[in-house]
Amino acid sequence: MYKTLRLIAVLALVAVWAIVIRMWTTRQTLPPSAPAVTSGQSGTRLVMGTFANVTAVARDQDTITRAVTAAHDELDAVDDMMSDYKPDSELTLVNREAFDRPVPVSEPLFEVLQASLEYSIISEGAFDVTIGPVVQLWRDMQKQNSRPTDQQLAEARQKVGYRHLILDAENRTVRFARPGMKLDLGAIAKGYAIDRAIDAMKAAGAAGGLVDVGGDIRCFGLSPKLTNTWRIGLDDPDGDGDILLVLNLTDIAVATSGDYRRFVVIDDQRFSHIINPSTTASARDLTSVTIIAPTAMQADALATVVSVMGHEKGLALIESVDNTEAILIPAADPALFIKTKGADDYIR
Ligand code: AMP
Ligand code: MG
């Protein structure tokens, strides 16, 4: 009896101590004069063919409104520039004219194209923004509910190749070395837009914020709970709405690619929207690829890279990139997580 009482007393003491430590660590994350910090959300808006949500934390409602508006303005601006669906986007102009003449482009578009070529090089061509003709072929065939023939795929492949994309940094122009080439920034523009939105929120004076575009996310500063950690749930690819796992993120980005997010359906068969440029087949090895990286552009591009490279080569590549982690789910065994060595540091 005495032993049981003593055990209860010790447990109670430990619990109180844990609460005190928790309160103390929470207080440590607050800015010097904390009381007026508050948070607000934008509500869901459509951008880049998916849903965007912005959360801002600031001392007053005006700053929150300014930060959220600035973030959405940036997302819209990048969409207007880099969409291959919009007939008047800068990207569409490049796609139309860059074989006939070097097309002068804006700094943001040039920056994203330069980054894209770097991802092509480190991934040995698994990432390729000139994949447009093949992506377009799969989209067209979906409308007709038939699979592209080998000949159609071979023809489209003739028009693909990052080595035929000529960027002139001095004159900031883009040129295609082959006819019929077509850029597709679907694997990287979303991440770039999120980074720009985060910068805009900081400039607007937010103490913290999170930008979520279709599940690709970057956060900074204080969360609505007034700690420096944002807790982000990752969806279960099986589509039942469950949260697979929770990530604790501080000033960092996370992006997920996978055949469960976007895909093409032909004859009731699902094909990933991610294409292996060397075979023109849709990527198959991984159901879900989640990348944690310092910027959303890095996370977005690398998630697509690893989807194409498959788990062995992809995991080795991410292990070699500083401050970057991967959590993969193989198609062959959806109950399995394959992780880089440091990934557990982010998992609750
Ligand atoms: P994400 O969801 O970020 O993996 O991007 C997928 C999108 O990137 C696709 O819908 C295509 O528009 C484009 N894409 C497909 N395959 C590739 C590839 N191998 N390299 C670059 N972009 C690709
Ligand atoms: Mg991507």
Side-chain angles (χ1 to χ4, degrees):
M1 178 67 184
Y2 175 70
K3 261 189 179 170
T4 314
L5 281 176
R6 204 170 58 175
L7 186 68
I8 290 170
V10 169
L11 285 177
L13 214 73
V14 169
V16 169
W17 184 234
I19 290 166
V20 169
I21 288 179
R22 172 93 192 114
M23 284 167 66
W24 184 78
T25 50
T26 307
R27 284 175 65 86
Q28 292 304 299
T29 59
L30 288 176
S33 50
V37 179
T38 173
S39 71
Q41 275 192 324
S42 63
T44 302
R45 291 200 204 160
L46 255 180
V47 72
M48 301 184 153
T50 185
F51 300 105
N53 262 295
V54 174
T55 305
V57 179
R59 288 178 190 285
D60 57 87
Q61 192 53 48
D62 279 356
T63 308
I64 288 174
T65 307
R66 255 200 331 271
V68 167
T69 306
H72 277 292
D73 286 350
E74 287 301 313
L75 297 179
D76 290 341
V78 174
D79 195 12
D80 288 345
M81 226 182 288
M82 302 189 191
S83 165
D84 65 334
Y85 283 95
K86 296 192 173 189
D88 52 356
S89 74
E90 201 182 350
L91 191 79
T92 301
L93 174 76
V94 170
N95 281 340
R96 209 169 42 226
E97 300 189 5
F99 178 65
D100 299 327
R101 63 178 180 106
V103 179
V105 297
S106 64
E107 261 177 61
L109 182 55
F110 199 80
E111 186 190 329
V112 171
L113 290 174
Q114 272 182 320
S116 298
L117 286 189
E118 281 161 26
Y119 286 110
S120 293
I121 291 162
I122 67 162
S123 69
E124 294 171 356
F127 187 91
D128 195 329
V129 286
T130 68
I131 199 73
V134 180
V135 171
Q136 191 60 51
L137 175 62
W138 278 99
R139 278 187 204 152
D140 292 346
M141 297 316 281
Q142 181 179 23
K143 283 184 207 141
Q144 299 169 27
N145 197 33
S146 59
R147 287 178 69 154
T149 62
D150 289 348
Q151 195 191 337
Q152 284 174 312
L153 284 168
E155 274 168 23
R157 196 175 157 198
Q158 292 294 311
K159 300 169 191 160
V160 174
Y162 67 93
R163 290 192 179 86
H164 311 306
L165 173 63
I166 300 160
L167 302 184
D168 175 347
E170 209 170 301
N171 298 306
R172 221 198 304 129
T173 60
V174 180
R175 195 162 67 78
F176 296 156
R178 290 196 175 179
M181 285 176 69
K182 193 171 183 299
L183 300 172
D184 176 340
L185 296 179
I188 191 168
K190 213 167 356 131
Y192 174 77
I194 293 170
D195 290 334
R196 290 248 315 231
I198 289 283
D199 288 346
M201 291 177 84
K202 289 178 181 171
L210 179 143
V211 179
D212 169 357
V213 183
D216 291 355
I217 284 167
R218 181 167 166 188
C219 59
F220 77 96
L222 283 181
S223 77
K225 292 199 168 146
L226 309 185
T227 73
N228 285 326
T229 303
W230 293 74
R231 295 181 58 200
I232 312 291
L234 283 189
D235 289 346
D236 191 337
D238 74 6
D240 60 6
D242 284 354
I243 297 289
L244 200 62
L245 48 86
V246 176
L247 299 175
N248 287 326
L249 302 179
T250 302
D251 289 320
I252 207 158
V254 59
T256 301
S257 284
D259 62 4
Y260 74 101
R261 284 191 171 254
R262 265 173 290 142
F263 45 83
V264 173
V265 180
I266 296 171
D267 252 349
D268 295 333
Q269 210 186 332
R270 238 164 83 158
F271 297 92
S272 169
H273 62 126
I274 300 167
I275 308 290
N276 182 338
S278 64
T279 63
T280 62
S282 70
R284 241 178 242 153
D285 184 34
L286 296 161
T287 296
S288 165
V289 174
T290 295
I291 302 286
I292 301 165
T295 71
M297 184 168 81
Q298 289 167 329
D300 188 3
L302 288 172
T304 311
V305 163
V306 174
S307 296
V308 176
M309 289 181 96
H311 92 261
E312 273 175 27
K313 281 187 172 176
L315 205 70
L317 174 71
I318 300 301
E319 289 288 15
S320 75
V321 181
D322 284 346
N323 304 316
T324 301
E325 305 297 339
I327 304 165
L328 318 178
I329 301 178
D333 186 356
L336 194 69
F337 286 136
I338 304 170
K339 293 177 276 188
T340 49
K341 292 192 188 84
D344 279 334
D345 294 349
Y346 297 97
I347 299 172
R348 189 173 57 117

